Amino acid sequence: MESLPEAVLIRILASIPAVDLVLVCRLVCCQWKNLVDGAALWILKCQQEGFTTAESDTENWQSFYFLSKKRKNLIKNPCGEEDLEHWGEVENGGDGWKIEELPGDFGKEFPSEEVHKYFVTSYEWCRKAQVIDLRAEGYWEELMDTTQPKIMVRDWYAGRSDAGCLYELCVKLLSENEDVLAEYKSETVTISQENDASWTEISHTFSSYGPGVRFVRFEHGGQDTVFWKGWYGVRVTNSSVTVEP
């Protein structure tokens, strides 16, 4: 192995699972440690697995690889397929939350065919939240404190074409002790009673938020503005929180 050209050795190492590279191969000798800590090996693994970046000056290709590998929506039950499962701190104003099938009365189909249901609010404020434990999802402390990967938040909302409504989104990055380290809060969005019921995406990206982030708290909600009994308030679905490579 010592006589192999470095380029050949990198190709051999690139066939080994990433976790084994870091926990086992890196400890074999100084040469292997340098290769595992270097960019060339991880650039090759990214190419092999189809992970690409628009940034040509990625500082840490190893972190980029692991973040790309783990990339997924951290919000559980984002479209109401499991009723209100995984949503906590639920506030059921009026007649409370309800899950309905798309497009719903006086509604429109969602832009993605993969989304089939939505949550809908009532004539008083309805709110619900999820708290995401980043360590439990595989994002270790050194990664969050040093690399500070971008955290992308998205939500979709719509009204009925026959009723006005209000919508709000609030997302907080929390420390171990649940201190607020960064926060995004939308304005209160007002949808008029005469609207086309189209779905609107709202998004925010957290970056350079400093060390110590361990949890993400996602909360959204709303109500109708006509105060009709039933479920004429804002509709929400396809919520997402992703840690970006």
Side-chain angles (χ1 to χ4, degrees), residues 35-195:
L35 291 177
V36 173
D37 289 346
L41 172 61
W42 298 101
I43 291 174
L44 179 57
K45 286 190 74 67
C46 286
Q47 292 171 343
Q48 289 175 339
E49 300 191 32
F51 301 146
T52 59
T53 174
E55 303 291 337
S56 60
D57 58 345
T58 298
E59 294 182 4
N60 190 324
W61 281 94
Q62 183 183 131
S63 293
F64 178 83
Y65 174 86
F66 278 106
L67 287 169
S68 298
K69 195 81 170 175
K70 288 180 175 293
R71 189 178 184 185
K72 64 177 181 178
N73 185 5
L74 301 177
I75 291 286
K76 296 177 175 62
N77 187 26
C79 305
E81 297 290 348
E82 303 172 70
D83 197 25
L84 284 169
E85 188 73 20
H86 304 296
W87 291 96
E89 304 177 51
V90 177
E91 181 180 340
N92 281 310
D95 288 322
W97 287 97
K98 185 183 179 184
I99 290 86
E100 295 180 344
E101 298 274 350
L102 279 157
D105 293 339
F106 295 90
K108 283 190 175 180
E109 291 287 358
F110 192 76
S112 170
E113 294 181 356
E114 297 177 357
V115 178
H116 305 290
K117 295 183 179 182
Y118 59 83
F119 303 91
V120 58
T121 60
S122 191
Y123 58 86
E124 291 179 352
W125 271 97
C126 298
R127 293 183 174 87
K128 59 187 177 69
Q130 278 193 41
V131 177
I132 298 164
D133 184 336
L134 293 171
R135 284 175 299 191
E137 295 293 343
Y139 299 98
W140 58 98
E141 294 181 1
E142 182 182 358
L143 176 72
M144 298 307 302
D145 293 347
T146 305
T147 304
Q148 293 178 34
K150 293 179 181 179
I151 299 174
M152 173 72 78
V153 177
R154 295 184 178 90
D155 201 19
W156 288 82
Y157 64 89
R160 299 170 50 121
S161 61
D162 64 341
C165 59
L166 305 175
Y167 164 84
E168 287 182 357
L169 170 66
C170 181
V171 184
K172 299 177 181 179
L173 305 187
L174 307 177
S175 70
E176 178 75 37
N177 299 320
E178 299 191 3
D179 298 318
V180 179
L181 302 181
E183 179 178 7
Y184 168 75
K185 187 171 185 179
S186 72
E187 298 179 355
T188 300
V189 178
T190 301
I191 300 176
S192 65
Q193 186 166 354
E194 296 181 0
N195 70 89

Side-chain angles (χ1 to χ4, degrees), residues 4-5 28 46 79 108 121 200 212 219 224 242:
L4 286 176
V28 170
C46 286
C79 305
K108 283 190 175 180
T121 60
T200 300
E219 178 187 297
D224 75 34
T242 55

Side-chain angles (χ1 to χ4, degrees), residues 2 13 239:
E2 294 177 357
L13 291 174
S239 310

